[in-house]
Structures are given as structure tokens and as C-alpha cells.
Amino acid sequence: MALTRRAQAWRDSGKLIEAGGHRIFVRERDGEGPPLLFLHGYPSSSIDWRRVLEHLPGHKAICFDFLGFGLSDKPRDHVYSLHAQADLAEEIANGAEVILVAHDMGTSVATELLARDLEGRLRMKLDAVLLLNGSMILERASLTISQKLLRGPLGPLVARVSNRWLFRAQFAQIFSPLHPLEREEADDQWSLLEHDRGHRIIDRLTYYLHERVRFAARWHGALRDWPGRLELAWAMRDPVATSAVLDAVLALRPDAPITRFADLGHYPQVEDPAAVAAVISSVTPRAPASV
């Protein structure tokens, strides 16, 4: 399947740059305030934030596809470590002061950046951090069947038989009943996953789940101890990063301001981009108001 019309438009709005020894897709927008640096999740890409940006006119923003995802390079024989993805975020930020907005897998990249900041070696300044649904406390999450299979010994086989119909069926399950997955959205997501045969390495891309266990103490500690402004926005109908995950995060950081989306599922920025944009605007008081 070729890129859909909307995926092509997203590609045309950005560019490929050299970062970390690979070609990485980056979409930048000029505007006011410190740039919003968006970190996407698994198995999607920076296009997740497309409609959120439409509700944040006038604000400077940076979106990019992690290595192995979307329009970025997808090397076959590669260990997709979140530490390397965090390196990419630092390189793309290029020393700027940013407002970090992260979802799903991106929240673990964010916690690695927080840990580096605590160590005094982060190469950018974090003005504020907003974390959306992510299984940061993995033992409290409810992984999908496909996630469990892909991270196990059958992962390579599951990747070899993946197709758009199976993807659509699995992806639809993590959307809320009131905001179901739209056919066009499913096609966009699949076309970007399949781009450069990325669907054949989706088992390798689940390496982050192993790292969430291996580096739990480091990343949980960063959530607890980072002294800056950290807020949460959580969709309560998420079947993966459930309220149990949220409770565990709040146990580490009980004073974190939180916005709860009562009727949204795992992809709140796709289901209700205006609501997510409104929360981002509240974290960025220097930015123009959302519409």
C-alpha cells in the first residue's frame, strides 16, 4: 500500500535530516514561544499530532519520527533502544528550550530525558513536560495480545504475517466506544507503518517494553525526582495504559497536575485533538490560545 493522500501531505510538510547516522523525518513549524517538541508512540508516528497542531496556531512546534517509525529510516538489523531515541530527541532539539509533549512509548523517552537532566547532562532545557497515556509503570499496564506476542519468541513470525486488516482490527480495540477508529485514520497509520516495509520489523520495535523493565528504577526515579513542571493528561477509557498505570504514576508524583479525559481511549490526541490542544495551551501560557 502506498502512502495515503494525508500521509503524503504530512511527508511533504517536513523533511528528512541526518541524525544519529540515519535519515530522520522532521516536521518543524515556526511560531511563538519555546518550541513544542512532540514524542509519538508505538507503532505510529509523528502524524499522530497533525490535528493537534491545527488547534495550536501560531506556536512553534517540532515533530519527528523515531528511528524505525513512520518516514524515518528503518534498518533491519538494529536494536531499537529508547536511549538512542532520546539521543535523537536531543539532537533534533539542538540545545533549545522546549516544552516536551509525549505519548505512549514517547513517555519512556521523556523519562530518560528527565533522568539525563537530573544528571546534569541533558543538551536542551525542559521548560515543561506533559505526559499522555503511556505504560511507564509496565507491571500495572494491560498489554494487548499483539504486544505480548511481538515481544516474545513468536515476535518475528507475527511480524511476517502482519497485514492491514489485522492491524486495523488490533488498532481499533484501543480506541474508545464514543470515538472509534476511523477508516481513513487506520489507512493513514498502516501506510506509514508499512512504508519501507516497517511492518516487518514491528517485533524489533517492541524492544522498549524490555527496557521499561530493565531501566524501571532509573525512569521511575526520574518521574519522582525531576524538579521541573510536569503535568499529566490521561484518557480514562484506555485499555492499555489504564487507570492502574495512572495511579502508579501518581504514587510516584502525587502533586502532578492532571487532566482526565473521561471518554477517550489510548490515542486521545487522535480521538479529540481539540481537547488535547487545550491542555497543551494551559501548559504553555506564553503561546497563543487554542481554537
Side-chain angles (χ1 to χ4, degrees):
M1 177 180 179
L3 291 177
T4 64
R5 175 181 55 82
R6 293 162 301 280
Q8 289 175 358
W10 183 251
R11 179 194 61 190
D12 293 344
S13 71
K15 60 185 179 181
L16 289 171
I17 68 167
E18 288 291 327
H22 298 279
R23 293 177 305 167
I24 302 298
F25 175 78
V26 179
R27 201 271 197 186
E28 296 184 81
R29 187 181 72 185
D30 289 334
E32 300 178 23
L36 296 164
L37 178 61
F38 290 95
L39 306 181
H40 69 80
Y42 170 97
S44 50
S45 66
S46 60
I47 201 173
D48 294 349
W49 305 107
R50 173 175 56 90
R51 287 188 285 181
V52 170
L53 289 173
E54 293 172 359
H55 291 276
L56 292 167
H59 204 297
K60 191 172 184 178
I62 306 170
C63 301
F64 73 97
D65 291 344
F66 288 125
L67 183 67
F69 294 80
L71 297 162
S72 292
D73 279 350
K74 299 174 178 178
R76 300 299 185 260
D77 188 16
H78 186 83
V79 177
Y80 286 93
S81 170
L82 295 182
H83 293 268
Q85 306 287 24
D87 292 342
L88 283 178
E90 287 195 76
E91 187 170 348
I92 290 166
N94 194 28
E97 175 183 357
V98 304
I99 296 162
L100 194 64
V101 182
H103 169 248
D104 187 75
M105 185 191 80
T107 62
S108 288
V109 176
T111 54
E112 171 57 24
L113 296 173
L114 298 183
R116 294 179 185 186
D117 199 22
L118 282 167
E119 295 168 344
R121 61 184 185 92
L122 187 66
R123 294 176 291 161
M124 58 181 169
K125 178 175 172 55
L126 298 176
D127 187 71
V129 175
L130 176 65
L131 303 179
L132 288 79
N133 295 57
S135 301
M136 293 169 277
I137 317 297
L138 188 62
E139 65 270 20
R140 302 296 296 274
S142 300
L143 298 183
T144 65
I145 293 174
S146 60
Q147 283 178 310
K148 292 176 181 177
L149 290 172
L150 285 165
R151 72 183 294 210
L154 294 177
L157 176 61
V158 176
R160 283 199 297 273
V161 300
S162 64
N163 59 56
R164 63 187 297 189
W165 295 278
L166 288 172
F167 168 79
R168 183 184 300 158
Q170 289 289 321
F171 202 51
Q173 292 179 11
I174 59 177
F175 281 69
S176 68
L178 291 179
H179 302 83
L181 176 65
E182 297 176 354
R183 175 77 175 259
E184 285 188 349
E185 181 68 32
D187 288 345
D188 294 344
Q189 295 283 353
W190 173 254
S191 75
L192 286 161
L193 177 61
E194 187 187 41
H195 177 71
D196 196 20
R197 296 181 60 80
H199 59 310
R200 295 297 182 238
I201 61 165
I202 54 174
D203 58 315
R204 288 184 171 274
L205 300 181
T206 63
Y207 187 74
Y208 76 98
L209 294 172
H210 301 287
E211 290 190 307
R212 276 180 168 162
V213 176
R214 181 180 177 187
F215 298 103
R218 173 180 176 80
W219 293 343
H220 297 177
L223 271 175
R224 181 187 63 239
D225 299 333
W226 186 68
R229 181 180 182 185
L230 188 151
E231 299 195 16
L232 303 169
W234 215 267
M236 304 307 293
R237 298 299 296 270
D238 186 343
V240 181
T242 62
S243 58
V245 177
L246 174 59
D247 290 343
V249 172
L250 289 172
L252 291 171
R253 201 175 182 97
D255 295 330
I258 177 168
T259 301
R260 291 177 172 85
F261 303 118
D263 298 320
L264 302 183
H266 185 65
Y267 273 82
Q269 72 273 42
V270 175
E271 293 190 29
D272 192 344
V276 171
V279 177
I280 294 172
S281 287
S282 73
V283 179
T284 59
R286 286 169 285 178
S290 62
V291 296

